[in-house]
Amino acid sequence: MMFSGQKFNALSIFKWKWRGESSLTTSLLDDVPPEIELSDYRRVPSPGSESPSGLLNGESLNVEPIADLDLFFERLYNYYCEKGLWCIIIKWIVELFSLGFTIGFSGFFLLYVDWNGLRNAKCGMNAVESGIKPCDLAKEALHPHPVTPLTLSKAIIVGYLGLFSICWIFCFLRFFAQLKDILGIRHFYYNSLHVTDNEIQTMPWATVLEKVVELQHSQQLCVVKDLTAHDVVMRLMRKENYLIGMLNKGVLAFPISSWIPGAGPTVRNGSNGMQHHLILTKPLEWTLNWCILQSMFDRNFCVRRDFIYNPNALKKRLMVVGLAMVVLSPFLVIFMLVYLFLRHAEQFYNHPSTASSRRWSNLSRWTFREFNEVDHLFKHRINSSVMHASEYLKQFPSPIISIIAKFISFVSGGFAAILIIIAFLEESLLEGHIFGRNLFWYAAVFGTITAISRAAVTDELLVLDQEGAMSMVVQHTHYMPKKWRGKENTERVRMEFETLFQYTGMMLLEEMASIFLTPFLLLFVVPKHVDGILQFIADFTVDVEGVGHVCSFSTFNFQKHGNSNYGSPYNMLRSQRSCQGKMEKSFLRYYCRIVPVDSFRFNLSS
């Protein structure tokens, strides 16, 4: 793929020693100054920057330039999403308190509480019946010296507390380090865009973009060219567009079994007959983002040549991160257990049917997301599809499960009704014991079983229409593989759909399992597919003047990636097109939601 805006020699491209030649051109790389080899390029000050930072303070152009336009627009967008300065500050404070509470809560209950003593302690009526004094939990259920003797399990807990305490200190210091930048962005909103925090609450993102583009004419944010809304969004989603493209082209499909937690739909079959499944759990997303997306660009927003030339370096980085996760996995599991318990325990207790509710997986969110679709617009679109997705799965009732669920609901509901009657007759009777448990305990158990079983009973008035239900889902997700078309009522489509739209309880278990799964993938699976990842980056990277290197799908170049089946005036080779017309869908979605109508007409005519 050639880069736009320059004269290219089709033969002067990156030479892939293992796959022939790629599509990244060396003419682009020959013109850039020597690169500073830093993985976190966003923090590197650039003396040859493209834009003046004095605009943050309403100053003239003869001031220190903005070191990183990508970071500037990211902060601009985050400020918009967080809805103003005080919302950001309060959110930071709440997150610090939440993290601190999680650490303190887990430390207290894992180290100080004597669970054996707590289980054997007798309080209330039990103490009276036993003829002993009411229990003092502070003496009977707390360890006076929690760390002694120091066992392996206690050492792991102490290590976990120390590690996350350091994380808390880091987050606390980062709060003050970023506050100055946030104040600068606020000043930019107020003095350059003339937008107050109150106006941000209800102002569309498209209006903010329009104001930024208008500002470019009077105060050049980019001195290379006049930025358009498309340029700003491509900068804002430079890395996200690559991840979306990799999933769309099946680059992140690995030969793994379908039972592995997080495994998604089948993309293709390998030469050995092994099916390649898409997979992108949250920990895997974080590691791929750090190892690839955060490391592939230099300070000029260009893909580093040594990153493409040296696949062994990427393999080594992935394996080092995998080994680090093996070491950290016990601590991460403890934190996740405590965090998920604090977040969901009360909800599951009071609303047991929540465990049988469903939500979109992390893989589905990146599979459905379109090129140049910013986060808050995508969330609005995908959240609108949840109800329709649930309706689609209801089109596959299981008579056997429904019959059993009705029976369980009938029996448990009967016991719960008896306990309610007893409570009406004499509330104190609920303190009576049966098989060592009081009736309050039985009331909670039978109520929970009744709620869960009733959620599994099929609605007898439901009219089955799998095709119609799927069409409602597709209106929001824009995702309909060819192998699903005309087969919406088959078991295979239902099973693949369920890999994307999962039970909430099952997803929580998968999040826990993925902490141990991700190191395995990074050590033994992903390094074998590094060549394909780098080949995708090479083949689908273009240079946009004033923006830098971006994923070519995000430029909406129909001459190079068009698919006539989805309305494109050009029809390119299958290897160059996006799958399922994602680029064409993204184009329509973007220009309908972001760009004014006049620009939309102009782009169509061009």
Side-chain angles (χ1 to χ4, degrees), residues 197-212:
D197 284 357
N198 289 333
E199 292 174 324
I200 287 178
Q201 305 292 325
T202 55
M203 180 176 290
W205 169 243
T207 304
V208 176
L209 276 180
E210 186 178 353
K211 290 180 177 291
V212 172

Side-chain angles (χ1 to χ4, degrees), residues 345-446:
E346 185 276 335
Q347 185 181 21
F348 286 162
Y349 178 77
N350 291 314
H351 305 282
S353 59
T354 304
S356 61
S357 64
R358 291 177 179 268
R359 61 176 180 172
W360 294 111
S361 66
N362 187 64
L363 171 63
S364 65
R365 291 176 176 273
W366 284 105
T367 301
F368 298 160
R369 193 168 178 178
E370 294 173 343
F371 299 111
N372 296 330
E373 186 175 22
V374 291
D375 188 59
H376 77 282
L377 294 179
F378 169 72
K379 287 180 178 178
H380 175 75
R381 176 168 68 89
I382 204 64
N383 290 340
S384 301
S385 69
V386 172
M387 181 182 66
H388 301 295
S390 298
E391 289 297 322
Y392 171 72
L393 289 180
K394 288 180 181 178
Q395 305 295 314
F396 297 88
S398 176
I400 296 177
I401 294 178
S402 182
I403 292 171
I404 296 174
K406 284 182 180 179
F407 173 74
I408 295 175
S409 175
F410 176 75
V411 174
S412 60
F415 281 111
I418 292 297
L419 293 174
I420 293 175
I421 294 174
I422 292 174
F424 274 113
L425 294 176
E426 180 57 49
E427 185 178 354
S428 61
L429 294 176
L430 294 178
E431 298 180 4
H433 287 67
I434 298 179
F435 302 114
R437 299 284 186 178
N438 61 37
L439 296 187
F440 283 111
W441 183 86
Y442 286 104
V445 171
F446 287 128

Side-chain angles (χ1 to χ4, degrees), residues 463-575:
V463 178
L464 300 183
D465 181 17
Q466 291 88 354
E467 292 80 3
M470 177 63 82
S471 67
M472 295 299 297
V473 177
V474 174
Q475 286 184 18
H476 297 282
T477 62
H478 306 164
Y479 179 78
M480 184 67 173
K482 286 185 178 180
K483 60 184 178 180
W484 287 10
R485 298 173 188 174
K487 302 177 182 179
E488 295 89 344
N489 60 344
T490 62
E491 189 69 12
R492 178 180 178 183
V493 173
R494 181 195 66 81
M495 292 177 63
E496 289 202 352
F497 189 86
E498 284 187 330
T499 64
L500 300 174
F501 193 62
Q502 300 175 320
Y503 286 114
T504 300
M506 184 61 67
M507 286 191 61
L508 297 181
L509 294 177
E510 284 194 355
E511 289 179 10
M512 299 297 301
S514 63
I515 295 176
F516 298 101
L517 173 65
T518 300
F520 169 78
L521 294 175
L522 294 176
L523 290 171
F524 303 107
V525 179
V526 181
K528 297 179 181 178
H529 295 78
V530 161
D531 292 354
I533 294 174
L534 296 179
Q535 185 71 56
F536 172 86
I537 296 172
D539 291 343
F540 294 96
T541 295
V542 294
D543 177 56
V544 178
E545 183 184 10
V547 177
H549 284 182
V550 296
C551 179
S552 56
F553 288 129
S554 66
T555 64
F556 303 138
N557 190 332
F558 295 104
Q559 292 184 0
K560 296 181 179 179
H561 300 302
N563 187 344
S564 59
N565 294 329
Y566 293 90
S568 170
Y570 303 95
N571 193 41
M572 303 308 296
L573 296 175
R574 183 176 180 180
S575 60

Side-chain angles (χ1 to χ4, degrees), residues 262-279:
T266 303
V267 174
R268 62 181 180 274
N269 293 323
S271 56
N272 57 355
M274 187 71 175
Q275 291 183 334
H276 286 63
H277 294 268
L278 289 173
I279 184 170

Side-chain angles (χ1 to χ4, degrees), residues 151-161 330-331 334:
T151 60
L152 178 61
S153 59
K154 289 184 179 180
I156 293 176
I157 295 172
V158 171
Y160 148 76
L161 294 175
F331 312 122
I334 295 174

